Amino acid sequence: MWRVPLTETLVAKMRPTLSLEECARADRFHIARDRNRFIVARGSLRVILGSYLNQAPAAVNFCYSNYGKPALSDENSVVTNGVTFNLSHANELALIAVTRDRQVGVDIEFIRPDFASEKIAARFFSRQEVEVLQGLPGAQRAEAFFKCWTRKEAYIKALGEGMSMPLDQFNVSLAPGSAASLLGNLRDPAEVSRWSMQDLSPGPGYFAAVAVEGDAWQLKCWQERGEHEVAL
């Protein structure tokens, strides 16, 4: 897991690594701050993947599923060796998960108290999750909300099926003290044994989680400094 500060001073360094399509996407942002964060996040993804593939960042090629999930393309000049990845960014931070021969999804959220509402939970959470949330003391609800949200988003992103899998069709843990886990899937109960989850602590003011296919994996955390250096 790579933690990437979305520092605007890196924009000039990262933009040349992007493809023409990525540059066009960046230029569609009307707010400069959002545009710059996209550039740094996407450029950092290229730097990190390039280090695994022994390729220049600009030479990394992507393909996309029918639902828009990116993956490494066979067009890369070297064998990808089963490397898979997922990117999420919020406010001033991005997280990039990199695995091999398994699917992965990561989600990071910046804490916004107004977002952690019963209205949002009732719209997107499962009935069981809403019941657990409503049964908690008021002081614990915001944390439980964001843990639920990041775990659900990480799972959805790992599946790579977009919103064709509604958020209320599966359950994740959210009670205080409970380990991050997939508790149920109305479409396919066997999914519970296929996936494992872990909460992440990217920094004050953020919640995050990762969902990984299988359970024989170990989390290692790094930080991208923007100068091809890493810190454990």
Side-chain angles (χ1 to χ4, degrees), residues 47-212:
V47 168
I48 289 167
L49 292 176
S51 69
Y52 284 99
L53 302 176
N54 195 29
Q55 274 187 289
V60 175
N61 292 304
F62 299 106
C63 60
Y64 297 86
S65 72
N66 291 335
Y67 298 99
K69 184 178 182 180
L72 288 169
S73 171
D74 292 336
E75 296 177 0
N76 288 292
S77 59
V78 297
V79 178
T80 60
N81 291 324
V83 172
T84 59
F85 66 92
N86 198 232
L87 163 69
S88 180
H89 57 89
N91 200 39
E92 297 179 345
L93 285 180
L95 292 178
I96 298 171
V98 182
T99 63
R100 192 186 302 277
D101 297 324
R102 66 181 76 220
Q103 294 301 315
V104 63
V106 64
D107 186 60
I108 180 172
E109 299 291 338
F110 182 64
I111 298 175
R112 294 175 291 152
D114 60 317
F115 183 67
S117 67
E118 290 189 15
K119 183 178 180 180
I120 296 294
R123 180 179 177 185
F124 294 106
F125 291 1
S126 70
R127 177 178 55 81
Q128 294 91 330
E129 291 164 344
V130 172
E131 290 176 353
V132 172
L133 190 66
Q134 291 176 339
L136 295 176
Q140 296 180 351
R141 288 184 185 176
E143 179 176 348
F145 177 97
F146 280 106
K147 284 188 174 182
C148 184
W149 186 271
T150 53
R151 293 169 186 177
K152 291 175 81 69
E153 285 289 326
Y155 174 59
I156 283 287
K157 294 182 69 180
L159 284 178
E161 298 178 4
M163 292 308 294
S164 66
M165 177 63 171
L167 293 175
D168 63 357
Q169 294 298 297
F170 63 94
N171 308 316
V172 299
S173 58
L174 69 150
S178 62
S181 60
L182 178 66
L183 300 180
N185 184 315
L186 296 180
R187 291 188 177 182
D188 185 0
E191 282 283 286
V192 173
S193 61
R194 181 186 168 199
W195 298 93
S196 53
M197 295 182 177
Q198 187 166 330
D199 289 329
L200 306 168
S201 301
Y206 294 86
F207 280 97
V210 60
V212 185

